[in-house]
Every structure is written in C-alpha cells, then in structure tokens.
Amino acid sequence: MAQWEKLRQLPAVYRQQLHELYDRDALPMDVRHYLSAWIEKQEWQRAARDHDLAVVLLQVLLENLDIQHSRFVQEESFLLQHNIRRYKQNFQRYLDDPCALASAILWFLEKEKEILASAELAEQVQFLRVEQETMEISSQQDLERKMAGLRNEVQCMEHTIVCLEEQQDEFDFKYQTHKLEAVVDEASKTEKIKVFQQLLNRLNECRKSTLVELTKLLDRAEDLINVLVNKELLEWQRRQQKACIGAPDNVGLDELEKWFTCVAVCLFQVREFLSKLDELVGKVSYENDPVKAKKPALQRRTDTLLKELLKSSFVVETQPSMPQGKGPLVLRTNVQFSVKTRLLVKFPELNHSLKVDVSIDREAPQIKGYRRFNVLGSKTKALNMTESQSGGMVADFRHLTLKEQKSGGGGKGCSDISLSVTEELHVICFDTLFEMKGLSVQLQASSLPVVIISNSSQQNSAWASILWFNMLSQDPKDVMFFANCPAASWPQFGEMLSWQFLFSTKRGLDHAQLQMIAHKLFGKQLNYDNCKVSWSKFSKENSPDTFWVWFDGILVMVKTYLEDLWRDGLIMGFVTKGKEKSLLKKKQRGTFLLRFSESVIGGITFSWVEYTITGEPDVKTVQPFTKVDLTQIPFHEIIRNFQILEAENVPENPLLYLYPNTPKDEAFGKYYLEKSGDDSPYIKYIKTKLVFVSKETRWGSSSSDLTSGEL
C-alpha cells in the first residue's frame, strides 16, 4: 500500500499529527494528496544533491499541477482551481534553487514515515497488551482446569478409601469367622489360609495403590500452591502496590480466595483420608504394612503444604489510609486511620472465631533517630464475613491511631544512616492464630510501608515518598529503601505521572504531554527511554519548588477547578512555550490553547495568535491564573469573557478558536452560565481582572504588554 494511503487510514490522533505537519507552506496537503503516487516514486534524496535531477523534478511537478488544474476546470471545482494555481506560483520560487524543494519534500516524506512508525508501534503495544490479557485469561483457565482436576482426584480418593474400607471389612469378617469355626482337617485349614493370604495380598496392594494416589494428589496440590503463592499472590501484591499510587489495576481478591479455599479444603480432606487410614490400620495390620511405613511422611507433607498455604492466605486487603488524606500509606500521628485484613481461606464455620491483633514495626531497623510508635484504639478484631461486601473473611480496623513514643531511637549498635521524617518507612503488622480440626498455625500479615507525619505540611513530601517506593520497590518490607534510593527510568516515571491524572480526573497524560515533561526534566532528546530520574531530582532539588511540588500543584488545580475541561480534552496543558509558538503561528487569527505554567505553581494560562499589519504572527500570553482567580470565577467563564482594550476601540475577545480549529463557543459552550454580561454573577471579577489594555495602538505588542486594568 502506498505511504499516503496508509497515512489516510490511521486513527484520528495520528491524522491530527498529519494535519499539523502539513500546516506548513512548503508542501501543501492538497498537492501531497493529488500527486501522491508521483511524489512517492521520485528520488528526492538524490535530487537534494543533484541539481540537474532537481530541475527535472521541479518542471514535472509544475506540469502535473497544470494537469490537475485542467481537471478541476472540467469538474468546475472553483476553489480547488484557485488553490492549485496559487500552489504553482509558490513552487516557482524554487526555480533558482530546485535542490531546496527536493530537500523540503524529502523532509516531509521522512516525517510521514515517523508518524507511521509511531502508529505501528502503538498498534504493536496494543497487540501485546491484548496478547497479555489473552495470556492472563488463558493462565486463569489453566488454573481453573487444574483446580477441577484436584477436586476430581479428591472425590476419586474418597471413593477409593470407601472401597478400601469395604475390602478390609470383608477380609476382617471372613478371618474372624474362620477363627470361630472348628478346623476339620489340615488340608482344609491350609486351603483357608491360602485364601486369606490372597485376600491380604489384595488388601496390601490396595493400600499401596491408595498411598501412591495420595502422593500424586499431594504433588498436584503442591504445584497449585506454588502457582498461587509464588505467582498469583505476588502479582496481586504488585498490582495492589501500583493501585495505591493510581494505577487502574484490578485488586479484587475473590478469585484468589476461591482458589486458596479450594486447595485448603482439598488438603483438609487429605488429612481426613490419612486419619481414616490410621483407623483402618488400628483394625487390621500385618508385617510390612505400607501404611505404617509411609503414612507419617504423607502426614508431615500434608501439614507442611497446608501451613504454607494458610500463612500466605492472610493478607492486607485495604492498605492503611486516613480520611481526606493525599492517598493511602500516609498516616499522621493522633489522626484516625483504617486498614482491612483478609483471610483468603474461607471457612464459614470460623466466622467470628479468629482474633486479629495489630502492632507496628515488628522488626524496626536500628538506625539513629528512627522513631518508635504505639498503636492506639481497638487493636483486636475478629475475622468475620459481615464486614465484606463479597462475604470474604475480613477484619476491618476503622479507628486506629498512632502515637509517637517519647524515647527516641539511638544508642549502641545503631547505624549512622540518617533519614528525613518523610523517608522513614514503617510497617503495620497483624497476627492471628488459625485453629481448625486439630491444626494450629500462627499467621502474620503486614502492610506496605507507611510514612508517618506529625503535621499536614509534610503530607506532600510524604506522598512523594509513597509514589517513589511503590513505583520501584518489589520488596514490601524494605523499610531501608531510601537509605540507598534507586533512580527511575523515564518509562516508569512517565507512567506513574500519568496514573496521578488518571486516578484524580479519569484522564491520563498523552504521549505529547509526557514528551513536554521529559523535555522539562532532561532537555531536548531524540529518545527519552534511557533517561533516568533520581529521587533528589523528583523531590529534593530546587526546594521548596521541587519538580513534584510543581506537578502536584497542577494536579490539585485540575482536580479542584478544571476537571471537566481536562476530561473533555480541552486543555493541552503540558506544552513548552517554544512548542506553543510553533503550533500557533501557522494558525488563523484568534486560535488559542490552554497550558499549565512552567514557573507559577498551580497556574494555568492561555496564548493566542494575532497577525501584525505586515502579516507576521504574534503569539500573546496572559499571566497565569491560579486558585486565587479560579475560586472566584470558573475558567470557562474567564475564557468566555476575556477582552482586550486597544486604544479607543471597542473591547473585543481575541480568543476565537481552540487549537487546532474548534470555535470557542462550540468547545466551551456547554459549560457557560445562562446569564452573561451585566447579569453575570462574576461581573465584578470580569470588569476588574479580565479586561487587558494593549500599550500599543497596533497588534505588535508582546505578551508582556498585556497588563490588567480596572474599568
């Protein structure tokens, strides 16, 4: 397929890139479209260096435009006739330097290939994502089949044990009856003993077969436990970590609970089978009895597997969080927080019988100045099925608080490592004793590391620590993480930033917005994938206005005042001043875009393009609006009522088209209040803050010439 045809079939987001590419005058899109086949067949790279070839190609291009013009004359396409004639006149300026035209067309073709490559990469990523989802579904289906296989083997074993018992009862009855009968002669006695020996041999083979089948059943159970504990549970824990910092990951536990419970039920049944074998051996035993030899090892293995499963089944379903906090895992002393634990092995008969105790820092690191805390409140709760919407076995702690101990850390044996309060990590711990059918197992669970603050001013920095830890750490107990803090790759970092917007506003950051942020951090690069962001660059450099403070200021502003506009895609947001100018200067008068301030924390501004009397584009920008403004008037009303007063002319709103070309009222109209003008409830703000005075009488003023004035 021809390159131009491929481009025309791309999704809308890439066709928009194509429109932006052909906003330039060097190669109009009409010419590219109507002469696409001819353009793609020529050797523009050679022509850019070969003057004679460039001359030939320019002449053929002009001839093709004449042919196209004649066709439009026949079709009576007046506008297209006009455009083609104008394009031909523009191309004739290359008669003195045809190689420049060849270079320009070559540049356009290369840029088209970049757009195609970007679209193909996105398609591959989507394919891999779908493939990954398919693999996950396939993996779950495979697990379900194995679970069904285990249940089936248990049912077969139940039947086998019944048959074994019947076979033993038959042998025992005949043997006991024989002992009560009088022996007639030796031959008859010998024959009877021979029959009993055959029955005993058959019973022995049946016991051996049962033990072999029990071993296979335990093998199957062990394989499933390995999958559940070392794969499914670990993946869920990682998903929970990411979900804590905004990722849209599924952290439901119902599937895991079903699988854990299935294996636990089967292992408890195996314990009953082994108990039944003990009972049978008590009734009938003999020399070299295989049950006596092998049953103890099977019992130990069954109990070991069951204990491993049970110990892994006690988890923290909902991580510690405060009401109205920045996010989970940031706790404040003397402020209540909640946390929920869950036992993935669900036995209804244990409802309200298992008590869970809460503590903190079971294994506190010995470092200088490390604070110690006490947990206050209702520290013991029973696991129950009433506090969970899905009927899971949970203990929901809702009224816990932390109080710092007066005696701080330090002393002999302490490390000299020093961590700030918001880099100091602590772990909330949970203990319970599982007791059922003669099995007793001590279970422990722990939260992800939390940051404990003492006043609200530390919350922003604390949340930065939580973001960094859960983005990078795979060890949920690594409380010394910030003692040797790793850097984040740009793909990891950019994804985490996008999650913040996605979680807060239901719309993440697109590729172009992330590119601007990368440019702010690393400067201009061809590719940012190998770039690294250090912890200090994220949260410490340029304090107090760190990168995180700047980014979070924007996030809070969008969530509080601009969520609808952001979600509808009306705010370009993250775009550099240079990129802004390059986008606007090719657009019609009054085209504007909305971007976040790079210098004012929590600020948003807009820029628009005007043209001087000489036809030069002039991009103007206003001072950023902050929460001081946005608490008084919605941003869409600012855009609606913004005016420029130039000399003695009537004030006018220079904002006409939202980039790239959407009429302002079409883009923002659904947000407007019905009342306007003097009836607007925001009239006082409008008159004092939204009328700007141009210092010059012509549209030659720079953005700094726009100053706020009262009417």
Side-chain angles (χ1 to χ4, degrees), residues 623-636:
Q623 288 293 319
F625 298 92
T626 64
K627 68 178 182 180
V628 174
D629 306 293
L630 301 176
T631 52
Q632 299 181 63
I633 180 170
F635 194 51
H636 55 264

Side-chain angles (χ1 to χ4, degrees), residues 339-357:
V339 59
K340 185 193 293 184
T341 60
R342 182 166 176 172
L343 186 64
L344 297 178
V345 173
K346 180 181 173 182
F347 290 103
E349 58 266 41
L350 295 179
N351 193 23
H352 289 286
S353 65
L354 305 183
K355 307 296 182 184
V356 180
D357 296 317

Side-chain angles (χ1 to χ4, degrees), residues 677-688:
D678 290 340
D679 295 328
S680 171
Y682 309 115
I683 189 63
K684 183 178 179 182
Y685 183 93
I686 291 168
K687 286 187 173 182
T688 59

Side-chain angles (χ1 to χ4, degrees), residues 510-666:
D510 62 28
H511 176 73
Q513 290 163 338
L514 288 171
Q515 287 291 99
M516 177 271 169
I517 297 172
H519 183 273
K520 179 179 177 69
L521 287 167
F522 311 112
K524 190 171 183 179
Q525 307 267 346
L526 289 175
N527 188 304
Y528 294 101
D529 287 353
N530 294 323
C531 294
K532 298 276 189 181
V533 184
S534 67
W535 166 238
S536 60
K537 188 164 192 149
F538 174 60
S539 185
K540 291 187 173 183
E541 288 180 8
N542 303 317
S543 185
D545 296 336
T546 63
F547 172 86
W548 168 243
V549 168
W550 170 76
F551 184 86
D552 186 59
I554 293 170
L555 183 62
V556 171
M557 173 185 63
V558 171
K559 175 63 179 173
T560 309
Y561 305 106
L562 307 170
E563 185 171 357
D564 289 339
L565 301 183
W566 172 262
R567 196 181 296 155
D568 286 348
L570 303 178
I571 301 174
M572 187 174 291
F574 294 101
V575 55
T576 62
K577 294 177 183 177
K579 179 69 172 177
E580 171 192 70
K581 288 185 178 180
S582 69
L583 292 176
L584 290 176
K585 68 182 183 180
K586 292 294 183 180
K587 290 297 180 181
Q588 59 187 317
R589 173 182 175 273
T591 302
F592 67 99
L593 58 79
L594 315 178
R595 68 172 175 85
F596 303 130
S597 173
E598 294 183 64
S599 56
V600 176
I601 304 298
I604 185 169
T605 185
F606 47 77
S607 300
W608 70 96
V609 65
E610 285 290 348
Y611 286 87
T612 65
I613 57 175
T614 60
E616 293 299 315
D618 181 17
V619 176
K620 299 174 180 293
T621 304
V622 294
Q623 288 293 319
F625 298 92
T626 64
K627 68 178 182 180
V628 174
D629 306 293
L630 301 176
T631 52
Q632 299 181 63
I633 180 170
F635 194 51
H636 55 264
E637 292 294 326
I638 291 177
I639 294 168
R640 180 188 188 186
N641 294 286
F642 181 77
Q643 291 182 321
I644 290 288
L645 179 61
E646 183 184 358
E648 297 179 356
N649 295 336
V650 176
E652 67 169 7
N653 190 329
L655 310 180
L656 304 178
Y657 304 97
L658 180 66
Y659 183 90
N661 54 13
T662 306
K664 177 187 65 179
D665 292 340
E666 181 182 320

Side-chain angles (χ1 to χ4, degrees), residues 99-234:
C99 290
L101 174 63
S103 297
I105 294 176
L106 177 64
W107 182 85
F108 276 94
L109 293 175
E110 291 300 319
K111 287 297 179 182
E112 288 179 2
K113 289 176 182 177
E114 290 179 15
I115 293 173
L116 280 173
S118 178
E120 287 170 5
L121 178 61
E123 187 177 352
Q124 290 170 9
V125 169
Q126 180 62 27
F127 173 76
L128 290 173
R129 192 172 294 148
V130 171
E131 193 176 55
Q132 177 68 25
E133 291 173 358
T134 304
M135 288 174 61
E136 288 175 2
I137 293 171
S138 176
S139 174
Q140 289 184 356
Q141 290 173 341
D142 184 52
L143 198 52
E144 291 284 3
R145 285 194 294 270
K146 289 180 178 179
M147 289 289 172
L150 180 65
R151 286 192 295 267
N152 183 59
E153 284 195 19
V154 168
Q155 290 174 354
C156 291
M157 180 55 61
E158 192 171 14
H159 177 70
T160 299
I161 294 293
V162 170
C163 293
L164 181 63
E165 184 175 22
E166 290 175 351
Q167 189 177 355
Q168 178 171 310
D169 287 346
E170 179 190 359
F171 169 81
D172 191 39
F173 175 76
K174 289 180 178 179
Y175 185 70
Q176 296 300 331
T177 303
H178 166 70
K179 284 172 42 176
L180 295 174
E181 292 175 349
V183 179
V184 179
D185 55 45
E186 283 297 320
S188 178
K189 180 180 178 181
T190 301
E191 187 62 29
K192 286 279 187 181
I193 291 173
K194 187 176 180 182
V195 170
F196 287 130
Q197 186 62 52
Q198 288 175 346
L199 288 172
L200 186 61
N201 288 343
R202 203 164 70 207
L203 178 63
N204 187 60
E205 288 303 314
C206 193
R207 284 187 174 183
K208 283 183 179 179
S209 174
T210 300
L211 292 168
V212 168
E213 292 305 313
L214 277 171
T215 301
K216 289 181 180 178
L217 198 159
L218 290 176
D219 288 342
R220 184 184 285 267
E222 185 172 11
D223 287 343
L224 282 170
I225 290 172
N226 281 333
V227 172
L228 289 178
V229 173
N230 299 321
K231 179 180 181 292
E232 297 294 335
L233 185 60
L234 288 180

